[in-house]
Amino acid sequence: MRRSETLADDLRSLYQEIILDHGKTPRNFRVVEHHSCKAQGNNPMCGDRITVTARVGNGTLEDIAFEGKGCAISIASASMMSEALKGQPIDAAQQLFSAVRDLCTGKADTDQAKAAVAPALSDSVDKLAALSGVRQFPVRVKCATLAWHALISCLEGKTQTTTEK
Ligand code: ZN
């Protein structure tokens, strides 16, 4: 086996570990107190249902959390999203959402996704790259982006979102 293949395998198992960890022990699995927005995301293809709540103040995502039921990927993605965005400026949400979408659809690799976000978000993109494994499974892309769609809806003042389209 060539060296590059070994590295790719290592990365794959590392990614799997991160997703299993967040899927089993989701961070910020709750409702944000005094939240300023709330939105539910549905992914009928897989049965994932995630409700995102956030509190915005002074242009910052002061708190962000989620609740719901879903497959390991949808829960892991929501958990990682809450960790990455808590305390960040609001526009970080759109930037990281674009990064996750591009990573999951294969439109960008990790370096390209990092180059497209603010330097302060670079480390978050590294972690979120764990979700990029879904690019081999198009149906799973919706699982990985569900919480992000819900968050964007939440910030735009909509209450429902679906990844059906
Ligand atoms: Zn799912």
Side-chain angles (χ1 to χ4, degrees):
M1 194 181 271
R2 284 183 294 128
R3 194 186 198 119
S4 60
E5 283 170 357
T6 314
L7 179 64
D9 285 346
D10 284 351
L11 271 178
R12 245 196 302 276
S13 58
L14 173 70
Y15 283 176
Q16 244 165 22
E17 249 173 64
I18 295 171
I19 291 188
L20 286 176
D21 174 37
H22 279 271
K24 273 186 201 158
T25 320
R27 326 297 197 261
N28 304 302
F29 192 85
R30 57 188 164 80
V31 174
V32 170
E33 271 184 50
H34 310 297
H35 53 263
S36 45
C37 73
K38 176 180 181 176
Q40 190 185 60
N42 289 315
N43 177 14
M45 298 281 288
C46 180
D48 310 318
R49 269 173 180 271
I50 285 174
T51 302
V52 173
T53 48
R55 189 176 62 247
V56 177
N58 301 317
T60 303
L61 281 159
E62 293 178 344
D63 199 3
I64 167 171
F66 75 102
E67 279 190 322
K69 275 185 185 172
C71 64
I73 290 169
S74 65
I75 298 295
S77 181
S79 172
M80 292 166 79
M81 175 182 84
S82 70
E83 256 193 348
L85 287 175
K86 205 169 154 184
Q88 293 289 335
I90 297 174
D91 64 350
Q94 186 64 54
Q95 287 187 43
L96 286 184
F97 170 55
S98 299
V100 165
R101 202 177 39 194
D102 290 353
L103 284 167
C104 289
T105 55
K107 201 176 154 199
D109 62 25
T110 309
D111 286 339
Q112 288 167 328
K114 277 159 85 168
V117 300
L121 300 173
S122 213
D123 286 352
S124 293
V125 172
D126 267 331
K127 290 180 191 161
L128 292 164
L131 296 164
S132 65
V134 300
R135 68 178 56 170
Q136 294 155 39
F137 313 98
V139 167
R140 292 302 203 166
V141 172
K142 290 172 180 178
C143 302
T145 55
L146 179 64
W148 297 83
H149 281 289
L151 173 66
I152 298 300
S153 295
C154 182
L155 295 175
E156 287 174 349
K158 299 170 193 155
T159 54
Q160 284 271 347
T161 184
T162 173
T163 58
E164 205 162 12
K165 50 183 181 269

